[in-house]
Amino acid sequence: MSEEILNEDDARIKEKLEQKSWNEIKSNDSWAIFKIMSEFVNGYEKMGRIGPCVSIFGSARTKTDDPFYKLAEEVAFKISKAGYGVITGGGPGIMEAGNKGAHLGGGISVGLNIELPFEQHFNPYIDHDKNVQFDYFFVRKVMFVKYSQGFVVMPGGFGTLDELFEAITLIQTKKIGKFPIILVGTDFWSGLIDWVKNVLLEKYKNVSPDDMNLIKIVDTADEVVEVLDTFYKKYNLKPNF
């Protein structure tokens, strides 16, 4: 990590620890509320016109020649052909693969992008009127959850895990409907799921056995579509597109 980044991090830490006057708090924090509100309004208006889609999560660092990039593209393609729209984080890697597959499949291709100092930029496979920009992670996550009719989770890092456990927690606590959560890649996810079963469930009883039923692990695009279709047939629902 460069000295410049270290100095920037140090400055941000010091800024947070400094005692601020009430006037500074009012001028900075209070006015930030309006920017947050504007992001919610913009997101609701755009996504309300688009309607619910299937969210595809995964790493921004995945290269185009990676097997998981190819698999994410195939998953999105087949999801689109089955009538579902696709939402991704709008950036490179797995997100790009998801939007590319949806684009090639003739389906809805939505990108919810976030302003970051590295890795993140819009990919070229998002529909021109379905490109939504955010500064705040929590606003973006609300849009993902509110307008998702299923979650497909490809291999990724901390951000992907954050999105995965956010979806699980909201379903577990009944804050949203019990939409499918599909993990793609048995080899990648089996260690995490074993830890959840052996440590969280069996050893410490921090989750319930029923919570494990919220997750499906698959390895192919056809299995992803099958899980989604089975869910919608069970409730006599149809894809939106």
Side-chain angles (χ1 to χ4, degrees), residues 88-145:
T88 80
I94 293 296
M95 295 175 281
E96 178 182 291
N99 288 125
K100 182 179 180 182
H103 177 76
L104 294 174
I108 300 295
S109 180
V110 184
L112 305 182
N113 210 310
I114 186 78
E115 181 103 14
L116 294 176
F118 57 90
E119 289 180 358
Q120 190 79 357
H121 56 79
F122 279 124
N123 69 67
Y125 301 105
I126 303 166
D127 295 343
H128 74 279
D129 59 341
K130 297 175 178 63
N131 211 339
V132 191
Q133 179 74 38
F134 297 93
D135 285 328
Y136 297 97
F137 266 113
F138 63 90
V139 180
R140 179 179 181 243
K141 285 165 66 174
V142 168
M143 299 304 148
F144 265 124
V145 171

Side-chain angles (χ1 to χ4, degrees), residues 53-59 68-69 71-80 84-102 108-112 140 144 147-155 160 163-164 182 184 224 228:
C53 300
V54 174
S55 289
I56 297 180
F57 300 131
S59 176
F68 281 120
Y69 182 102
L71 181 55
E73 183 181 331
E74 182 186 0
V75 166
F77 178 84
K78 291 189 174 181
I79 283 176
S80 296
Y84 303 94
V86 169
I87 301 176
T88 80
I94 293 296
M95 295 175 281
E96 178 182 291
N99 288 125
K100 182 179 180 182
I108 300 295
S109 180
V110 184
L112 305 182
R140 179 179 181 243
F144 265 124
Y147 294 99
S148 290
Q149 54 187 182
F151 303 93
V152 177
V153 191
M154 303 294 298
T160 301
E163 290 158 341
L164 166 62
I182 309 165
V184 182
V224 172
L228 291 170

Side-chain angles (χ1 to χ4, degrees), residues 3-230:
E3 185 176 343
E4 180 182 345
I5 295 175
L6 284 173
N7 290 337
E8 181 183 339
D9 289 342
D10 290 345
R12 295 183 70 179
I13 291 170
K14 289 178 181 178
E15 180 187 358
K16 293 296 182 184
L17 294 176
E18 284 177 354
Q19 187 70 34
K20 293 183 175 63
S21 69
W22 174 240
N23 287 333
E24 286 178 307
I25 293 172
K26 284 196 295 183
S27 62
N28 295 325
D29 296 355
S30 299
W31 282 104
I33 293 171
F34 294 99
K35 183 156 191 337
I36 293 166
M37 287 174 59
S38 71
E39 287 204 0
F40 273 116
V41 170
N42 183 53
Y44 284 146
E45 286 186 348
K46 285 193 174 183
M47 293 305 301
R49 289 192 291 268
I50 296 167
C53 300
V54 174
S55 289
I56 297 180
F57 300 131
S59 176
R61 305 185 187 196
T62 306
K63 305 300 182 185
T64 56
D65 58 352
D66 189 292
F68 281 120
Y69 182 102
K70 305 295 185 184
L71 181 55
E73 183 181 331
E74 182 186 0
V75 166
F77 178 84
K78 291 189 174 181
I79 283 176
S80 296
K81 287 297 186 184
Y84 303 94
V86 169
I87 301 176
T88 80
I94 293 296
M95 295 175 281
E96 178 182 291
N99 288 125
K100 182 179 180 182
H103 177 76
L104 294 174
I108 300 295
S109 180
V110 184
L112 305 182
N113 210 310
I114 186 78
E115 181 103 14
L116 294 176
F118 57 90
E119 289 180 358
Q120 190 79 357
H121 56 79
F122 279 124
N123 69 67
Y125 301 105
I126 303 166
D127 295 343
H128 74 279
D129 59 341
K130 297 175 178 63
N131 211 339
V132 191
Q133 179 74 38
F134 297 93
D135 285 328
Y136 297 97
F137 266 113
F138 63 90
V139 180
R140 179 179 181 243
K141 285 165 66 174
V142 168
M143 299 304 148
F144 265 124
V145 171
K146 181 173 177 59
Y147 294 99
S148 290
Q149 54 187 182
F151 303 93
V152 177
V153 191
M154 303 294 298
F158 290 135
T160 301
L161 294 176
D162 177 51
E163 290 158 341
L164 166 62
F165 283 109
E166 176 89 5
I168 294 173
T169 301
L170 291 170
I171 291 174
Q172 177 203 46
T173 55
K174 302 187 186 303
K175 295 298 182 181
I176 63 173
K178 193 168 19 175
F179 295 108
I181 298 176
I182 309 165
L183 307 185
V184 182
T186 301
D187 288 345
F188 184 88
W189 294 109
S190 58
L192 175 64
I193 298 305
D194 287 345
W195 178 80
V196 171
K197 287 180 179 177
N198 297 332
V199 179
L200 295 188
L201 175 61
E202 295 177 7
K203 185 174 181 179
Y204 291 103
K205 311 294 191 261
N206 287 338
V207 298
S208 69
D210 287 342
D211 293 333
M212 303 307 301
N213 297 327
L214 300 176
I215 305 167
K216 301 284 186 184
I217 304 180
V218 304
D219 288 299
T220 68
D222 288 334
E223 289 175 301
V224 172
V225 175
E226 182 181 358
V227 172
L228 291 170
D229 283 346
T230 298

